[in-house]
Amino acid sequence: MPVVPPAPVVSPAPPTEVTVVTPASEFDRAVPPGLQIAAAWSWRVLLVVAVVFALAWLARYLSEVMVPVAIAILLAALLSPVADRLRSWGFPRGAATAATVLGGLALIAGSLVLIGTQIVVQASTLSGNVVQGFDQLLNYLRNGPIPISDSWLDSDQWVSRISNFLRDSQSLLAEYAAAIGAGAGHFLAGFAIALFTLFYFLYDGRGIFTFLLNFVPRPSRRQIDEAARKGWRSLSAYMRATILVAAVDAVGVLIVALILGVPVAPALAALVFIGAFIPLVGAFVSGFVAVVVALVALGWVQALIMLAGIILVMQIEGHVLQPFLLG
């Protein structure tokens, strides 16, 4: 008897997906698609702008805390290699952090002491030059192309005018004094916050950032951590390049000042080095002090040469050195 093979089992076809098309409302059909897309983009852009403005307002409201913390982050990026090197040499974590912070403070204090010492040593010479330059200015005003009456240049009358102004503006001066006192208090408070924050950033900055990662959704933590590591390396490289740029500015100003014989040249170089850490205008403003000293001590020709030297140094720094170091 022939064997009949069993019939093949046919599996049922998988159910096809049914796309439900919701009929557009009459209002949606009346609005062109381009306008609908523009409206969808518009409210989202407005929402982002509102969030940015809210964050900016919050940053301004908390600026007395956020600015010192930002400065502490920059200083930590600058000093963290020193602390890491001390720890690699066997220093305990706390001792390495304290030595790094105190060493940075000692460097700043030493620069300020150098500036003050140079000024005190040559104070008599500078004061004599100031008086001589002021007398020359008065003579020029009396006998210049537009002569000024002696009554306007009489020192007794100017003392009387200044005394009357101070007497009539006591309330305004009191307000200015109060504002200056409040500003000094805010500066000291910010300095304490920056110093305190710097110590803990150097002590366990990685632990602080790891704790902050707990507020980020878990799937995004690895990407954010990697981005933060790259950003930190870039910030550290930027701060090291800033030190080299500041040193070049200081050396350039020192060379020009020594060639011209400007008094307190080392102090002026130290001032330029400190001022170079202020972005955009710090080095130029501190270098302008050297121009003023050259004007008072040597005359306007040497002052113009000093100004030209500072401009040359700033041009080399801005157009050659910074692009080379910072890429």
Side-chain angles (χ1 to χ4, degrees):
M1 181 176 180
V3 179
V4 179
V9 179
V10 180
S11 59
T16 59
E17 296 182 357
V18 179
T19 303
V20 178
V21 180
T22 304
S25 64
E26 183 178 354
F27 176 78
D28 292 336
R29 288 195 301 269
V31 179
L35 184 58
Q36 294 181 24
I37 296 174
W41 271 100
S42 299
W43 74 262
R44 288 175 172 85
V45 170
L46 290 176
L47 180 61
V48 171
V49 171
V51 171
V52 171
F53 270 100
L55 292 176
W57 177 85
L58 183 64
R60 181 180 179 183
Y61 183 76
L62 300 176
S63 61
E64 295 183 5
V65 175
M66 296 188 67
V67 172
V69 171
I71 293 175
I73 292 174
L74 294 177
L75 293 177
L78 176 64
L79 298 176
S80 57
V82 179
D84 294 339
R85 180 59 60 87
L86 291 177
R87 283 194 287 268
S88 67
W89 288 347
F91 279 73
R93 181 179 294 270
T97 303
T100 303
V101 174
L102 294 177
L105 291 176
L107 179 62
I108 297 175
S111 301
L112 296 177
V113 169
L114 173 63
I115 295 173
T117 303
Q118 291 286 320
I119 293 175
V120 169
V121 169
Q122 301 192 23
S124 59
T125 304
L126 289 176
S127 61
N129 291 331
V130 169
V131 173
Q132 183 180 359
F134 186 72
D135 291 337
Q136 292 177 356
L137 176 62
L138 292 180
N139 293 329
Y140 176 78
L141 293 176
R142 289 191 183 98
N143 305 316
I146 304 177
I148 299 177
S149 175
D150 289 339
S151 60
W152 281 93
L153 303 177
D154 189 2
S155 60
D156 294 335
Q157 292 189 9
W158 276 106
V159 170
S160 177
R161 292 170 186 168
I162 294 174
S163 300
N164 293 333
F165 173 77
L166 294 177
R167 183 174 60 252
D168 298 336
S169 306
Q170 291 182 358
S171 59
L172 183 62
L173 294 176
E175 293 178 2
Y176 285 156
I180 293 174
H186 292 165
F187 173 79
L188 294 177
F191 179 77
I193 293 173
L195 193 63
F196 179 83
T197 310
L198 173 63
F199 179 86
Y200 282 101
F201 282 166
L202 292 176
Y203 183 80
D204 193 17
R206 179 61 187 171
I208 295 174
F209 183 76
T210 303
F211 169 76
L212 294 177
L213 281 178
N214 294 326
F215 297 95
V216 178
R218 189 179 297 273
S220 304
R221 291 178 184 175
R222 186 178 64 83
Q223 292 88 344
I224 293 178
D225 185 39
E226 183 64 25
R229 289 176 182 271
K230 292 181 179 179
W232 183 257
R233 288 194 293 267
S234 299
L235 184 61
S236 299
Y238 170 78
M239 294 304 296
R240 289 194 296 269
T242 302
I243 289 181
L244 293 177
V245 170
V248 170
D249 289 341
V251 171
V253 172
L254 178 62
I255 292 174
V256 177
L258 291 176
I259 292 174
L260 296 176
V262 178
V264 297
L268 295 174
L271 183 62
V272 170
F273 179 80
I274 296 175
F277 289 94
I278 301 175
L280 300 179
V281 298
F284 183 79
V285 172
S286 57
F288 188 74
V289 176
V291 176
V292 174
V293 173
L295 177 63
V296 171
L298 303 176
W300 64 270
V301 176
Q302 289 82 354
L304 290 178
I305 297 175
M306 188 73 204
L307 178 61
I310 291 175
I311 293 176
L312 177 62
V313 171
M314 298 305 165
Q315 292 298 314
I316 295 175
E317 171 246 311
H319 297 286
V320 178
L321 188 61
Q322 277 196 354
F324 177 75
L325 294 177
L326 302 178

